[in-house]
Amino acid sequence: QCQLSGLWRNEQDSLMEISAVRDNGDFQGKYLTQVTLAGGCARASPLKGIQQQPSEAGWPTFAFTVRWDKFSNATTAFAGQCFVDSGGKETLTTMWLLREAVASLQEDWKATR
């Protein structure tokens, strides 16, 4: 069974640490990205999420948000699923949506990636 809690590293060498997942699926942690909108040095940013309780027949789905702290006026939402391969390696697959603040409604078209 896949366990979300722990330290995770992605293909961009960003790090995510998830604390223990509560019985109701809530979790929190920190995300340290190596990729920033401004190109500057990133700091650990808080994340909050929820995991769907896994069934015996499948792997759990989850979602979390990251509020980029101190270096960006943006928020990212992630949704994904956790898998374990035949060798016992856990893998998270996710899709993300980043929303950056813009100065006006006319600029809204360029605010989401």
Side-chain angles (χ1 to χ4, degrees), residues 84-89:
V84 180
D85 68 16
S86 59
K89 181 182 177 187

Side-chain angles (χ1 to χ4, degrees), residues 32-70:
L32 178 61
T33 184
Q34 296 297 329
V35 181
T36 65
L37 293 174
C41 181
R43 297 183 185 185
S45 297
L47 70 82
K48 291 184 180 182
I50 189 152
Q51 172 186 291
Q52 181 68 20
Q53 298 305 325
S55 66
E56 291 185 27
W59 306 108
T61 58
F62 59 88
F64 63 90
T65 58
V66 177
R67 178 181 51 91
W68 303 112
D69 205 16
K70 310 261 192 273

